[in-house]
């Protein structure tokens, strides 16, 4: 496989974001988003996805975190879509269950080419750190639309909202890792009878 890397810049009046991704990385994150809890979550995606992420973001945080979190999801999705290429020879589907103490989440992803987010999560608090938990939906919707994936996220149990979020992002990283991995038996074929994804 050729190098699965991409760098995407996205500039609007609300945010300026640059994301570099290496799908075959070592799990390193270099990140400055200005939203500390989001940095903590992206660190989980990089580490558990074995993906290298280099992210620089400046946004209108004086309003709130909304535009920055949503646009990060969009830009990350664009970078994934570019890095993964034509999807020949990958597993395509990935899934993971991840616990953290009392919390348990399941994430299932399909690099289907068809954007779809099915998120079943009830956070036990509205705010984690200073981050509005509604913004996780915005992040994943932005990612899904631009990475063109089907993504099912279920928080099965959880009392502590930090744990709920962390299990979701760790499972997201693990599911990504499985889905983008090279399948030696697929040997460069498209993982679809349709012939394209
Ligand atoms: Mn934590």
């Amino acid at each position: 496989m050729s190098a699965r890397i991409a760098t995407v810049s996205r500039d609007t009046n609300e945010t300026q974001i640059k994301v570099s991704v290496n799908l075959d990385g070592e799990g390193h994150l270099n990140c400055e988003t200005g939203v500390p809890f989001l940095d903590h979550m992206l660190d989980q995606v990089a580490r558990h996805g074995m993906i290298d992420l280099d992210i620089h973001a400046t946004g209108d945080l004086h309003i709130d975190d909304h535009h920055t979190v949503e646009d990060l999801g969009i830009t990350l999705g664009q970078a994934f879509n570019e890095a993964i290429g034509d999807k020949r020879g990958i597993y395509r589907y990935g899934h993971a269950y991840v616990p953290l103490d009392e919390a348990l989440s399941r994430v299932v992803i399909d690099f289907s080419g068809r954007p779809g987010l099915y998120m079943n999560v009830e956070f036990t608090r509205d705010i984690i750190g200073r981050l509005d938990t509604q913004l996780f939906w915005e992040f994943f919707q932005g990612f899904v639309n631009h990475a063109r994936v089907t993504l099912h996220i279920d928080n099965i149990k959880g009392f502590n909202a930090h744990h709920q979020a962390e299990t979701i992002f760790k499972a997201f990283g693990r599911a990504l890792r499985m889905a983008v991995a090279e399948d030696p038996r697929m040997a460069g074929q498209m993982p679809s009878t349709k012939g394209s994804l």
Side-chain angles (χ1 to χ4, degrees), residues 37 40-41 44 100 162-163 166 170:
F37 191 76
H40 184 39
M41 293 300 99
Q44 309 306 326
L100 199 177
H162 186 123
H163 289 173
E166 196 157 324
K170 283 176 171 172

Side-chain angles (χ1 to χ4, degrees), residues 7 46 66-67 130 153 163 172 181:
T7 297
H66 191 117
H67 302 139
R130 59 155 222 234
I153 300 174
H163 289 173
F172 178 55

Side-chain angles (χ1 to χ4, degrees), residues 131-147:
L131 183 61
D132 177 349
T133 54
Q134 288 187 338
L135 298 184
F136 293 121
W137 190 90
E138 301 293 335
F139 173 86
F140 285 116
Q141 187 68 65
F143 179 85
V144 158
N145 286 347
H146 293 271

Side-chain angles (χ1 to χ4, degrees), residues 100-143:
L100 199 177
D101 297 341
E102 89 298 343
L104 174 66
S105 294
R106 179 185 61 217
V107 173
V108 182
I109 194 164
D110 174 12
F111 277 82
S112 58
R114 296 185 303 276
L117 176 63
Y118 307 92
M119 189 167 172
N120 180 24
V121 181
E122 285 187 31
F123 284 102
T124 56
R125 269 187 289 148
D126 296 336
I127 303 284
I128 306 173
R130 59 155 222 234
L131 183 61
D132 177 349
T133 54
Q134 288 187 338
L135 298 184
F136 293 121
W137 190 90
E138 301 293 335
F139 173 86
F140 285 116
Q141 187 68 65
F143 179 85

